[in-house]
Amino acid sequence: MSLDVAALRARFPSLTSGIAHFDGPGGTQTPTEVGSAIAATLTGPLSNRGTSVASDRNAERTVASFRSAIADLLGAHPGGIVYGRSATQLTYDISRALAKGWGPGDEVVVTELDHDCNVRPRVQAAESVGATVRWLRLDPTTAELDLRDLDDVVGERTRPRSR
């Protein structure tokens, strides 16, 4: 099967700018179909999730459809898919929950390779409870994590989860 690259690119209007954004912020390169689906959802009757009126049912159906599509993409169960305002907001929520089990003397490890939306929430959560942030550095010559320091960065006080 051959891939029609021109047809695929045409479905991403932002690519007509000549710039491809590989850092992944939401909405940077949205396919036409996704933009149309979002517009239809937001301009139709929509409210809090529920079953009482059409707007409730539309919200419920939208979330269920999202979970089903992502579960299909990932080969997962729809009940395990979390829907939130953004990946950054979800990371803040998780970091705050994890930080409830952290305190002074605990260490949280982040890397220079991760996007800031995966780093900043953990750094701020650690700082808010007096935990130490340890960094796994990026080797600028290879663009890979420098794993030679892994044993020094990850230790007994590293807290990947709540106690």
Side-chain angles (χ1 to χ4, degrees):
M1 174 167 101
S2 65
L3 178 65
D4 185 345
V5 175
L8 182 61
R9 283 186 180 144
R11 294 167 68 185
F12 291 81
S14 67
L15 292 179
T16 62
S17 70
I19 299 171
H21 304 270
F22 293 111
D23 61 340
T28 300
Q29 295 176 151
T30 303
T32 301
E33 297 85 350
V34 172
S36 296
I38 291 170
T41 299
L42 294 177
T43 58
L46 186 66
S47 62
N48 292 320
R49 292 172 52 200
T51 58
S52 299
V53 295
S55 58
D56 292 357
R57 292 188 295 276
N58 284 345
E60 195 68 40
R61 188 172 33 257
T62 298
V63 172
S65 295
F66 162 81
R67 286 183 171 152
S68 178
I70 296 299
D72 183 52
L73 176 68
L74 300 175
H77 186 277
I81 304 298
V82 177
Y83 179 81
R85 293 182 300 254
S86 69
T88 302
Q89 184 60 53
L90 290 170
T91 305
Y92 269 107
D93 294 344
I94 290 168
S95 295
R96 280 193 293 270
L98 291 174
K100 291 179 181 178
W102 302 340
D106 290 335
E107 298 174 349
V108 176
V109 176
V110 296
T111 78
E112 290 181 336
L113 183 61
D114 288 307
H115 191 281
D116 195 57
C117 75
N118 291 320
V119 174
R120 193 66 32 216
R122 290 169 177 84
V123 168
Q124 291 174 345
E127 289 172 348
S128 74
V129 297
T132 301
V133 175
R134 306 286 309 265
W135 287 86
L136 191 56
R137 300 293 175 191
L138 179 73
D139 181 339
T141 61
T142 64
E144 295 177 350
L145 290 176
D146 186 350
L147 299 179
R148 293 174 295 185
D149 295 330
L150 185 61
D151 289 336
D152 293 330
V153 174
V154 177
E156 281 287 315
R157 300 301 304 168
T158 301
R159 297 294 175 238
R161 61 185 177 278
S162 184
R163 288 188 270 237

